[in-house]
Amino acid sequence: MSQSHPRISKAVIPAAGLGTRFLPATKATPKEMLPVVDKPAIQYVVEEAVAAGLDDVLMVTGRNKRPLEDHFDRNYELESALEKKGDAERLAKVQESSDLATMHYVRQGDPKGLGHAVLCAAPHVGDEPFAVLLGDDLIDPRDPLLKRMIEVQAQYGGSVIALTEVAPEQIHLYGCAAVETTEDADVVRVGGLVEKPEPVDAPSNLAVIGRYVLDPAVFGILRETEPGRGGEIQLTDALQKLAADESIGGPVHGVVFKGRRYDTGDRGDYLRAIVRLACEREDLGPDFRTWLRRYVTEEMQRS
């Protein structure tokens, strides 16, 4: 039976990582500000939250992350220069990021893991469910994953995580869920979670990807969670406790996502994401695809 649960209005975006896989580019530039075609990766994530109806966004940052705040703030000098030139198109692009959402920022003083970053959001979120979006996963706006997760949370309460099927040999790169089916084809009941298991120990091939809708009870668990894998406070450990005892904060469900997802977590995936998104752009795609076909053909002939 459908139940009534508090409306979700806040999104939390952890963005305090050092981006070491992208050095030296990230020595002075936050990884989240690296462009995916012509827009920083972090803007895609904020746009996704807003499209799902979450226009109150808290970004959990760290040292050297000031460019994130500047990007979502007004730049009056640049706007004035573009206005004087009559460049309405670029002016609209500059203003778009500052008009997207109500942005808030908090610093994660010590890099103690994703669970700790989420805990830093507790004073802002308060006693209401909220969404967490990780910047390494870009979800195509034509496949509204977060909106579906919010619908599932409204129906069942508790917490909802995003899952995707991966090859068994890849499951050790992800958190993995033990699940039971429900009456909804794309929704499963999560009975347990394992962080980066070996393939033989994995309870399924369903991997956790970077979207969560969380009950505020998770904060209490995170405060008591000891550092786990990698010496960090793992969000997966807190979700495991919620899944094991729904009296704490309701059940944990998963939405099995089969849509378009662009992974910017490492250099190869980042490059592939740029190519895929560029190919699908109406303004860039036709010419870029033509060039790409020619390039691939020439490379194959050389080899």
Side-chain angles (χ1 to χ4, degrees):
M1 179 180 293
S2 179
Q3 303 177 38
S4 176
H5 300 283
R7 176 184 174 273
I8 298 172
S9 63
K10 295 177 180 177
V12 174
I13 302 177
L18 298 176
T20 53
R21 285 178 289 183
F22 284 80
L23 286 169
T26 51
K27 179 180 178 181
T29 301
K31 173 181 173 290
E32 297 83 5
M33 288 300 297
L34 295 180
V36 180
V37 187
D38 56 1
K39 208 162 42 175
I42 195 67
Q43 185 170 332
Y44 289 90
V45 181
V46 174
E47 288 173 349
E48 180 188 350
V50 172
L54 313 182
D55 56 3
D56 183 321
V57 177
L58 174 70
M59 205 167 289
V60 183
T61 67
R63 294 182 182 87
N64 302 321
K65 299 287 186 169
R66 181 60 186 270
L68 294 171
E69 299 184 33
D70 291 340
H71 180 71
F72 292 100
D73 199 359
R74 299 291 298 273
N75 187 326
Y76 293 102
E77 294 82 0
L78 178 57
E79 291 177 27
S80 177
L82 293 172
E83 192 170 7
K84 288 177 181 177
K85 289 182 179 180
D87 195 338
E89 182 179 353
R90 287 189 174 86
L91 177 61
K93 288 182 179 180
V94 168
Q95 293 176 332
E96 181 182 18
S97 60
S98 57
D99 294 337
L100 269 175
T102 301
M103 302 294 299
H104 308 271
Y105 304 90
V106 63
R107 280 200 174 193
Q108 182 186 14
D110 297 315
K112 297 179 181 179
L114 176 58
H116 181 258
V118 171
L119 185 56
C120 290
H124 180 78
V125 169
D127 190 25
E128 60 183 84
F130 62 104
V132 175
L133 298 87
L134 305 189
D136 283 348
D137 286 314
L138 305 185
I139 305 298
D140 194 294
R142 293 168 293 183
D143 301 309
L145 169 62
L146 186 57
K147 184 176 291 186
R148 175 59 178 149
M149 294 174 68
I150 291 172
E151 292 172 353
V152 172
Q153 197 278 338
Q155 179 179 359
Y156 293 103
S159 299
V160 181
I161 62 177
L163 302 170
T164 192
E165 295 180 353
V166 300
E169 61 270 20
Q170 296 294 312
I171 197 66
H172 71 282
L173 301 173
Y174 300 87
C176 178
V179 303
E180 299 174 359
T181 59
T182 71
E183 59 186 19
D184 296 308
D186 64 333
V187 179
V188 292
R189 180 74 172 263
V190 178
L193 291 158
V194 182
E195 181 67 18
K196 298 182 178 179
E198 292 301 318
V200 295
D201 299 321
S204 73
N205 68 334
L206 291 175
V208 181
I209 57 176
R211 298 294 181 271
Y212 309 83
V213 175
L214 301 177
D215 187 273
V218 74
F219 293 132
I221 297 175
L222 286 170
R223 291 187 185 100
E224 303 298 326
T225 299
E226 296 293 328
R229 191 182 183 97
E232 298 181 336
I233 298 174
Q234 299 288 348
L235 180 60
T236 302
D237 291 341
L239 289 169
Q240 165 66 28
K241 292 183 179 179
L242 285 175
D245 184 359
E246 67 177 69
S247 68
I248 299 174
V252 177
H253 286 84
V255 171
V256 181
F257 182 62
K258 296 184 179 181
R260 287 156 285 201
R261 166 178 165 256
Y262 311 104
D263 187 351
T264 61
D266 64 33
R267 291 170 297 177
D269 289 333
Y270 172 74
L271 292 173
R272 284 184 280 272
I274 292 174
V275 171
R276 291 173 63 187
L277 284 166
C279 284
E280 295 181 2
R281 286 267 295 261
E282 291 182 3
D283 57 338
L284 298 173
D287 288 343
F288 185 69
R289 288 194 300 269
T290 299
W291 172 85
L292 190 60
R293 290 190 193 98
R294 184 169 63 247
Y295 173 76
V296 171
T297 300
E298 291 173 353
E299 287 298 304
M300 290 179 65
Q301 290 172 347
R302 288 195 186 103
S303 62

